[in-house]
Amino acid sequence: MAKQNKQTAGTFRDGIEGRIKVVSVLLFLFGAALIARLAFLQIIQHDTLVAKSEKQYLSTVKTHFGRGIIYDRNLNELARNVETESVYINPSEIFDRKATARILSATLKLDPDQVRKKISSKKHFVWIKRKSPLHEVAELKKSGLSGVGYVSEQKRFYPKRELAASVLGFVGMDNQGLAGIEHAYQAKLKGATFRQVMERDARGRNIQPVEGLRNSNLRNYDLALTLDEVIQFTTEYHLKKQVEHFKADSGMAVVMNPHTGEIYAMANVPQFNPNRYGAFPQQVWKNNIIASSYEPGSIFKPIVAAAALDKGLARPQDIFFCENGKMEIGNVHIGEASDHKFGWLTMRDIIAKSSNIGAIKIAQQVGREPFYEYIRKFGFGEKSGLSLPGESKGQLKEQKAWNKLSLASISFGHEIAVTPIQMVSALAAIANGGNLMEPRITHSLIKDGRVIEQFKPEKIRRVISEKTSRQLVEILKSVVKTGTGKKAALEGIDVAGKTGTAQKYNTKTQSYSKTEFISSFIGFAPADSPRLVILVMIDNPKGLHWGSVVAAPVFRQIAKKALRYLNVPSSKERVFILDRA
């Protein structure tokens, strides 16, 4: 019996030990699996899990601060930033969705259907309105709505509204420059982007911002332009007034310093307000002075005269027979723009009276290849180098592609398309003694109130000799004194310039219109010591269309006020100053 009990006890102990071994093995395997799992989670999937964790409990919102200020040449602000607030919602926190939607849409002036759609979202963070006006936000905060939050941001603001809008451009909601200088200098002006982190609870509700914005005034660079606010306003005012008076489609005007290439004014009409650019048609945003090209008409005649004089192929007093107003090349009959029937004219009078046939005779004297060479030297057929986006190089056929009529047509500004900036740069070369200067719209880069880079004048090349320049100045003075440009004359200050009236080419009919014209005047003053070159172009004026009547008076008004503003004395004032000295 005792023996049997002993055997039973041994069997029991063996069973217990076996179970312990099994449990130990199971515990060991469980522990090993747990350690392996922890290692997998902590080491291999660490980054993935952290990202998921942050997504679950944190919401990151990008905000933009400190975009660089844009100034005119005298450091008057043309573009700056204003403090604003953006409104967001957490739909899960909104108790009365109908009432909240009604208040949000009414206060923030939003589409009610769009607001209701956003409130129905399953997301925990939804923008309602970015960069809202502060008065709207202040009114909304009075409502004390649940589930509505606010984030501080800065908004781009153009204090002068339409002034120089086509030059400045505008920025998008995320402070990205979308047009003009804002786009061209995005890398310098962009400011700083901050990430505002919003802490969330287990249900995804926003609790509070846990990381505020630092250095909210930080910005990369400020930028000063060559524009002068006063001259820009004067130019826009008189151009707009004339476009409206003649019910024209559009108008353009440029004011340049001929010696440095600095642009003091660049105006386009119709205008737009960059503070609310989306309210205007996209075609109005376009800076036609650089982006569009036009057949220049008679304002191109000084180019053929320059080629003839510089090559020594003609002199100002040389005479040419102008065929009594009618000329035939091939099967094409060419006449004068007006009803004049000119006989013999000097080169001076051909330009002063704007004879098409006379210009053809000068071009024939120059020849195809030399004429083409000078057109290229003056910068036509290539971009000017101006630091604005979207510049066109115009349209100039290779000389080998010219037909029998090309030499004649181009001599008086047809069969070639130029941009206004090319045209004003070319006349500046005539005015300044013969050098083609690179046009400039940027004056300097500024950091922390200190100029760190100043953009200097750049000479591209010499185009004509100083002698040729002086001869052309005298010829162009006669245009204003005795020729077609009398309405551009200034009291006490000599003006040199040229009128132009170009028929617009109809691509549908492939012929020149008899009712639509580009009216223009280009000139500089004072003629013998030029401070300003000014181009005025008015597209499709109604009624009268001659450049002498439509564009020349605008030149006169701009030049008169700009020269007075720049303290340029008249001839009488110069005599008085010398007498006093």
Side-chain angles (χ1 to χ4, degrees):
M1 186 71 178
K3 186 178 180 181
Q4 186 178 359
N5 289 338
K6 190 176 181 180
Q7 289 177 342
T8 301
T11 302
F12 179 75
R13 282 195 305 273
D14 291 342
I16 291 295
E17 290 176 359
R19 290 191 185 94
I20 290 172
K21 288 179 180 179
V22 170
V23 171
S24 298
V25 169
L26 290 174
L27 287 172
F28 174 79
L29 292 174
F30 176 76
L34 184 61
I35 292 169
R37 178 63 176 168
L38 287 171
F40 176 74
L41 295 175
Q42 291 289 335
I43 300 173
I44 298 175
Q45 285 204 314
H46 176 268
D47 293 340
T48 303
L49 292 174
V50 167
K52 284 184 177 180
S53 173
E54 289 180 353
K55 271 190 175 180
Q56 185 174 355
Y57 292 102
L58 298 175
S59 175
T60 303
V61 180
K62 285 185 179 180
T63 52
H64 308 275
F65 283 80
R67 189 172 179 85
I69 297 171
I70 301 176
Y71 300 99
D72 83 337
R73 65 186 301 107
N74 299 311
L75 299 185
N76 297 306
E77 289 185 358
L78 300 177
R80 59 185 174 89
N81 309 306
V82 293
E83 298 297 328
T84 186
E85 286 192 84
S86 295
V87 182
Y88 70 90
I89 60 169
N90 183 346
S92 65
E93 292 181 343
I94 296 174
F95 302 126
D96 189 341
R97 297 192 171 191
K98 187 177 291 186
T100 300
R102 185 180 67 254
I103 294 170
L104 286 172
S105 59
T107 308
L108 301 179
K109 299 177 177 59
L110 300 172
D111 181 0
D113 291 335
Q114 291 295 321
V115 174
R116 284 192 290 269
K117 183 177 179 181
K118 289 182 177 182
I119 287 178
S120 300
S121 172
K122 294 181 180 180
K123 296 179 180 179
H124 295 290
F125 185 97
V126 181
W127 285 119
I128 286 293
K129 186 173 182 179
R130 297 286 303 279
K131 302 183 179 181
S132 308
L134 291 178
H135 71 274
E136 290 183 1
V137 174
E139 186 66 26
L140 185 62
K141 286 180 177 179
K142 293 178 184 178
S143 304
L145 297 174
S146 63
V148 178
Y150 309 89
V151 177
S152 295
E153 291 195 86
Q154 285 186 340
K155 181 180 181 179
R156 199 59 157 168
F157 179 62
Y158 302 90
K160 309 299 165 57
R161 296 183 292 183
E162 293 85 0
L163 190 79
S166 59
V167 177
L168 297 173
F170 46 84
V171 301
M173 190 58 68
D174 291 323
N175 272 23
Q176 180 72 23
L178 300 179
I181 281 291
E182 295 277 29
H183 175 68
Y185 279 80
Q186 168 65 17
K188 300 292 185 184
L189 294 169
K190 64 183 179 180
T193 299
F194 294 92
R195 294 179 181 272
Q196 185 165 3
V197 184
M198 310 293 291
E199 188 178 8
R200 301 159 76 183
D201 63 15
R203 294 185 180 180
R205 296 177 298 185
N206 293 318
I207 301 174
Q208 61 180 0
V210 296
E211 184 180 316
L213 299 178
R214 301 187 189 93
N215 300 321
S216 62
N217 293 322
L218 178 67
R219 56 177 170 261
N220 288 4
Y221 298 92
D222 297 327
L223 180 66
L225 304 182
T226 60
L227 296 181
D228 186 292
E229 179 182 281
V230 174
I231 298 176
Q232 179 73 29
F233 176 82
T234 300
T235 303
E236 289 184 8
Y237 175 81
H238 291 289
L239 178 66
K240 183 180 179 183
K241 189 175 178 181
Q242 197 77 330
V243 167
E244 291 174 348
H245 178 73
F246 282 97
K247 297 180 174 60
D249 292 347
S250 63
M252 294 150 285
V254 189
V255 181
M256 176 187 281
N257 180 326
H259 301 285
T260 64
E262 291 177 294
I263 296 169
Y264 293 158
M266 183 179 281
N268 286 271
V269 174
Q271 299 168 288
F272 73 96
N273 185 341
N275 291 308
R276 48 188 188 91
Y277 62 89
F280 296 82
Q282 290 190 19
Q283 62 264 30
V284 178
W285 304 345
K286 191 176 181 181
N287 187 348
N288 290 311
I289 290 167
I290 63 164
S292 299
S293 56
Y294 309 84
E295 291 197 352
S298 293
I299 60 173
F300 199 74
K301 288 173 182 173
I303 306 303
V304 70
L309 292 168
D310 205 54
K311 278 286 187 182
L313 299 171
R315 297 169 299 174
Q317 65 271 26
D318 286 352
I319 58 173
F320 298 82
F321 184 57
C322 296
E323 307 291 341
N324 294 316
K326 290 184 180 180
M327 186 177 186
E328 186 173 324
I329 298 179
N331 297 321
V332 178
H333 295 275
I334 299 174
E336 301 291 3
S338 62
D339 293 329
H340 291 297
K341 297 179 180 180
F342 300 119
W344 291 95
L345 291 177
T346 65
M347 176 191 281
R348 184 191 305 275
D349 287 337
I350 285 170
I351 303 301
K353 299 178 185 296
S354 202
S355 168
N356 289 345
I357 295 173
I360 294 171
K361 291 297 184 79
I362 297 171
Q364 289 174 336
Q365 189 117 326
V366 173
R368 290 160 59 118
E369 289 187 18
F371 187 27
Y372 178 79
E373 174 192 340
Y374 275 89
I375 292 171
R376 296 288 301 188
K377 283 173 70 175
F378 271 105
F380 299 107
E382 64 183 20
K383 293 182 180 181
S384 71
L386 189 67
S387 54
L388 283 171
E391 184 179 1
S392 167
K393 65 178 183 178
Q395 298 175 31
L396 172 63
K397 292 191 296 187
E398 293 288 340
Q399 191 265 317
K400 61 184 178 183
W402 287 15
N403 57 37
K404 292 181 180 179
L405 198 60
S406 295
L407 179 67
S409 297
I410 295 173
S411 70
F412 56 88
H414 285 272
E415 206 178 310
I416 182 175
V418 308
T419 64
I421 196 65
Q422 288 173 335
M423 197 67 236
V424 77
S425 297
L427 198 76
I430 292 173
N432 68 24
N435 294 314
L436 184 67
M437 302 299 295
E438 184 175 88
R440 290 195 298 122
I441 197 72
T442 50
H443 183 275
S444 55
L445 277 174
I446 301 168
K447 180 85 168 180
D448 299 325
R450 184 171 57 88
V451 173
I452 62 167
E453 182 180 359
Q454 187 152 356
F455 302 102
K456 297 180 179 179
E458 292 286 342
K459 173 183 167 182
I460 298 174
R461 56 182 164 266
R462 174 165 285 281
V463 182
I464 54 175
S465 68
E466 290 187 16
K467 177 184 176 182
T468 301
S469 170
R470 289 193 299 270
Q471 290 174 318
L472 280 167
V473 169
E474 292 302 315
I475 289 173
L476 294 175
K477 282 166 66 175
S478 69
V479 173
V480 178
K481 287 181 178 179
T482 61
T484 58
K486 293 176 183 178
K487 290 184 180 296
L490 294 171
E491 185 178 352
I493 296 178
D494 282 341
V495 173
K498 183 71 189 76
T499 56
T501 308
Q503 291 174 283
K504 293 184 70 173
Y505 188 77
N506 189 320
T507 54
K508 292 181 180 179
T509 62
Q510 294 189 341
S511 62
Y512 286 96
S513 172
K514 294 182 180 180
T515 59
E516 295 187 350
F517 300 85
I518 299 284
S519 304
S520 54
F521 184 88
I522 190 167
F524 49 91
D528 296 315
S529 182
R531 292 287 301 276
L532 301 174
V533 176
I534 303 172
L535 168 65
V536 177
M537 297 180 76
I538 296 181
D539 184 4
N540 195 24
K542 309 304 185 293
L544 297 173
H545 59 264
W546 302 109
S548 58
V549 177
V550 177
V554 182
F555 170 95
R556 179 179 180 274
Q557 290 296 330
I558 295 170
K560 177 182 177 182
K561 294 184 179 180
L563 291 171
R564 174 61 64 189
Y565 166 72
L566 294 173
N567 294 317
V568 177
S570 67
S571 55
K572 289 182 180 179
E573 290 168 329
R574 284 195 294 271
V575 170
F576 176 76
I577 292 169
L578 290 172
D579 287 344
R580 291 289 297 269

